[in-house]
Amino acid sequence: MRKIFWPLIVSISLALGILLGGFIVSASYRGKTGLYTNHNKLKLNRLIDFIEQEYVDNVDTDSIVDRTVTTILEQLDPHSIYIAKNELQSVTESMQGSFVGIGINYYYYKDSVAVIKDIKAGPSFKAGIEPGDRILAADGHKLSGKEITSDTIAKYLRGAEGTDVVLDVYRKTTDQNLKITVNRQPIPIKSVDIAFKMSDGRGYIKLNRFSSTTYEEFKEALDKLIKQDISSLVLDLRDNGGGYMEQAIKMLDDLLEKGQVIVKTVNKGGKSTVMKSKGTGLFTEKPLYVLINENSASASEIIAGAIQDNDRGTIVGRRSFGKGLVQRELMLGDGSAIRLTTARYYTPSGRSIQKSYKMGIEEYNNDFRSRYTHGELYAADSIKVADSLQYKTLKGRTVYGGGGIVPDMFVSIGNKHGDDTIVLLMKSGVVSYFVFQELDKQRAMFNKLSKEEVIEYVMSNDKVFKAYVKHLEGNKLFFKLDKRKEIVKRFLVGEFLSQLFSEEEYYTWMLEYDPMIKKIDSKLSK
């Protein structure tokens, strides 16, 4: 029996030894690489378990984990962020470019939903909802009162595509209570705010983000302008914080010659990917101006960098934000997600425009204050650039890396210090709210006015200006505006035109006084 089974026993023993040895080596390797056992993960899991099982008080461990994830990501870089599950839907909708709803802009005004205006040709517009209407209930669910939240409003106004919602509406202009049925439909979240041919023959496109629909919108707008035989194009990327890189790349395919470098990315492993223009030839010959400011970031900077480095057009404005990192969205399995930095990008000349974040996130986010202190918002020679980070454009011009795109033509934020504060104030929601309030007092009268009469109403005397100052003071906002009265009035006119007429009327008015547009005009007149 020994002679028969001994070879079999030896064979099995050798096989088990080989398997066991391989398992130990594999375990050792995995442990070293973090694939098999990670003691830090175990430590965090045990800590959460101890808190749940042993801590003296009841604790919401979900919120602890959320804060922990946020803290961990903050140690990496300013753009690796955590998105909680209750925030993910709105973030996703913003980047997808649409949501399903009834299509209104509204304020929660004096404890009720007050319609500012309908989205043109949207469900509410078609159903007969008017600016100034109060929506008191949706399908019998109350939408007025101090206890109502924005989440409650969204819950009942939004819904599945094609479903009806019955709204209880109070129309102040006619003192009527109405029941209006609105059919919910997809509502676009536009990337292109406006696209039109200016009076001087130039095309103008204002882009507010880079979502999944941005290129489609841009292409439609550019096609329309080309058919109108525009003499040049102004692409306004001011205050555009970026979004999907691939949308910017598609746009540059239409603006650059075939084969020109758009951007290079380098990942953790050092692998580099160079994206080049496919050269559709849609708009490659006529003059191009790209407007940027301190809030133009990410995909906006990819466009500005590619246009500048390839000497395709002129960059106008102030130094851009300085974000040269690429994020990827990763789901965490519980409805939440993170945006993790997975690569760096470089402009065609090879420069990284990522500003330093070695001093921490707070200092990083306070960069605007630093630029103001150093006078950069008012003078081009105050812009800090590193001479060691010089690069050359396609035609040999010197450009700089290390913190944003420095424009070819600098434009100050104002004529004197303090103008920046007023501009920021006048771009804030407080102006829109004030104008809605003024319209709500005399909507029947305002509805009869032409555009020219509205401009005259605001600009010819100080009645509206003084009401605005009083409104600010009532909200504990105290500014000395008398010396900047004309700036304030111009912004007020713009908001009146936007709420009463259209975005095109707003931009037509505002661009007439826009310092960046004036800078381009002065260059062309020489």
Side-chain angles (χ1 to χ4, degrees):
M1 292 291 290
R2 286 180 184 175
K3 290 180 180 180
I4 295 172
F5 288 107
W6 184 249
L8 182 60
I9 292 169
V10 171
S11 299
I12 292 172
S13 298
L14 285 171
L16 287 172
I18 291 169
L19 286 171
L20 184 59
F23 177 78
I24 292 170
V25 170
S26 175
S28 173
Y29 172 75
R30 291 180 185 177
K32 288 177 182 177
T33 60
L35 295 175
Y36 181 70
T37 301
N38 189 314
H39 294 292
N40 290 328
K41 293 178 185 176
L42 290 174
K43 186 188 292 186
L44 287 173
N45 288 337
R46 284 174 179 166
L47 174 60
I48 296 299
D49 288 342
F50 286 151
I51 292 171
E52 288 182 336
Q53 296 167 15
E54 304 292 342
Y55 186 67
V56 63
D57 295 321
N58 291 325
V59 174
D60 180 4
T61 52
D62 285 347
S63 65
I64 292 176
V65 170
D66 286 355
R67 287 197 296 271
T68 302
V69 173
T70 299
T71 303
I72 291 171
L73 292 174
E74 285 176 352
Q75 309 311 306
L76 304 178
D77 67 80
H79 300 291
S80 290
I81 60 169
Y82 172 67
I83 307 171
K85 54 188 175 184
N86 62 327
E87 299 171 353
L88 187 60
Q89 181 179 351
S90 61
V91 172
T92 301
E93 287 174 347
S94 175
M95 297 312 295
Q96 285 180 341
S98 70
F99 66 92
V100 176
I102 66 170
I104 58 168
N105 295 320
Y106 69 88
Y107 278 125
Y108 195 61
Y109 180 70
K110 295 183 179 179
D111 301 334
S112 65
V113 177
V115 178
I116 303 171
K117 60 182 179 180
D118 309 278
I119 293 173
K120 188 177 179 180
S124 290
F125 179 85
K126 292 176 180 177
I129 299 289
E130 297 179 1
D133 283 353
R134 274 35 171 198
I135 299 177
L136 306 178
D139 286 336
H141 299 285
K142 185 181 176 184
L143 294 181
S144 60
K146 292 182 178 180
E147 72 281 2
I148 300 299
T149 65
S150 57
D151 287 341
T152 303
I153 296 169
K155 177 182 177 181
Y156 293 117
L157 294 186
R158 295 187 182 189
E161 181 178 349
T163 58
D164 288 338
V165 57
V166 180
L167 305 179
D168 290 343
V169 174
Y170 172 68
R171 182 158 295 162
K172 185 179 177 183
T173 52
T174 57
D175 192 27
Q176 287 179 288
N177 287 298
L178 306 167
K179 282 194 179 293
I180 299 176
T181 300
V182 181
N183 186 260
R184 298 182 181 99
Q185 292 295 324
I187 307 300
I189 302 174
K190 292 287 188 180
S191 297
V192 174
D193 283 334
I194 193 71
F196 69 103
K197 185 178 180 179
M198 300 167 68
S199 58
D200 57 10
R202 281 174 295 190
Y204 175 85
I205 298 177
K206 170 64 176 170
L207 210 63
N208 63 61
R209 78 189 74 202
F210 289 84
S211 70
S212 60
T213 63
T214 296
Y215 173 67
E216 182 183 329
E217 293 178 48
F218 170 77
K219 174 74 162 48
E220 182 181 346
L222 186 56
D223 281 337
K224 181 183 76 172
L225 292 174
I226 290 171
K227 288 176 182 177
Q228 295 177 32
D229 194 28
I230 55 173
S231 58
S232 60
L233 176 65
V234 177
L235 178 59
D236 192 344
L237 300 180
R238 287 176 289 184
D239 301 313
N240 184 324
Y244 292 137
M245 177 191 286
E246 63 268 21
Q247 298 293 310
I249 291 170
K250 287 180 179 179
M251 287 175 58
L252 287 163
D253 284 337
D254 290 340
L255 302 174
L256 296 177
E257 298 288 351
K258 185 176 182 179
Q260 289 185 316
V261 175
I262 291 175
V263 68
K264 181 178 81 170
T265 61
V266 181
N267 67 12
K268 184 175 184 176
K271 180 183 177 182
S272 64
T273 304
V274 177
M275 272 71 85
K276 295 183 179 181
S277 171
K278 295 177 182 176
T280 62
L282 189 61
F283 194 83
T284 57
E285 296 179 1
K286 291 184 178 181
L288 172 64
Y289 302 91
V290 180
L291 310 186
I292 61 170
N293 65 6
E294 51 284 340
N295 297 317
S296 304
S298 187
S300 292
E301 294 174 295
I302 288 174
I303 286 184
I307 295 301
Q308 189 176 58
D309 285 3
N310 286 294
D311 293 297
R312 166 62 187 94
T314 305
I315 310 303
V316 184
R318 294 181 293 281
R319 181 165 64 96
S320 63
F321 183 85
K323 179 179 180 291
L325 304 175
V326 182
Q327 285 72 46
R328 180 183 168 198
E329 192 168 291
L330 302 167
M331 300 302 297
L332 294 179
D334 66 341
S336 64
I338 60 170
R339 282 188 184 158
L340 189 67
T341 297
T342 56
R344 297 180 183 276
Y345 75 76
Y346 299 83
T347 70
S349 64
R351 53 183 168 148
S352 167
I353 52 88
Q354 175 62 47
K355 64 185 179 184
S356 174
Y357 46 87
K358 291 180 180 178
M359 301 302 291
I361 291 178
E362 184 176 352
E363 188 68 24
Y364 183 86
N365 290 333
N366 284 331
D367 184 56
F368 179 86
R369 182 179 63 191
S370 175
R371 295 189 192 195
Y372 176 79
T373 303
H374 293 124
E376 181 184 320
L377 301 177
Y378 291 90
D381 56 11
S382 296
I383 299 175
K384 288 187 174 183
V385 293
D387 288 337
S388 60
L389 298 175
Q390 291 186 7
Y391 298 83
K392 295 295 182 181
T393 68
L394 208 59
K395 294 182 179 179
R397 293 187 304 123
T398 300
V399 289
Y400 296 90
I405 302 291
V406 177
D408 303 312
M409 293 169 55
F410 176 82
V411 179
S412 168
I413 198 170
N415 295 322
K416 52 189 174 182
H417 280 274
D419 281 358
D420 55 315
T421 305
I422 303 306
V423 169
L424 290 173
L425 170 68
M426 298 309 295
K427 286 183 176 180
S428 71
V430 69
V431 177
S432 176
Y433 193 90
F434 164 75
V435 169
F436 173 80
Q437 194 168 255
E438 291 300 295
L439 292 175
D440 201 54
K441 292 175 185 175
Q442 307 177 74
R443 192 168 293 276
M445 182 272 286
F446 277 109
N447 284 341
K448 295 176 182 177
L449 299 182
S450 67
K451 179 185 75 171
E452 291 72 23
E453 287 170 332
V454 170
I455 295 171
E456 176 73 12
Y457 180 83
V458 179
M459 297 295 291
S460 63
N461 59 63
D462 291 347
K463 180 181 177 182
V464 178
F465 172 79
K466 288 178 179 178
Y468 178 64
V469 173
K470 187 176 180 181
H471 175 76
L472 292 176
E473 292 173 349
N475 287 279
K476 304 285 191 288
L477 296 171
F478 300 96
F479 293 89
K480 294 180 180 179
L481 299 179
D482 285 341
K483 292 182 179 180
R484 297 179 175 88
K485 190 180 295 183
E486 290 305 305
I487 296 175
V488 172
K489 284 185 175 182
R490 275 192 233 122
F491 275 96
L492 288 172
V493 167
E495 188 58 37
F496 271 99
L497 294 178
S498 174
Q499 292 194 30
L500 283 169
F501 299 99
S502 67
E503 289 301 293
E504 185 168 333
E505 295 292 358
Y506 168 85
Y507 280 102
T508 300
W509 168 261
M510 294 302 294
L511 291 176
E512 186 178 341
Y513 302 95
D514 192 299
M516 292 194 191
I517 298 297
K518 286 182 173 292
K519 187 77 171 184
I520 298 171
D521 291 339
S522 66
K523 178 190 176 183
L524 295 175
S525 63
K526 290 180 180 179

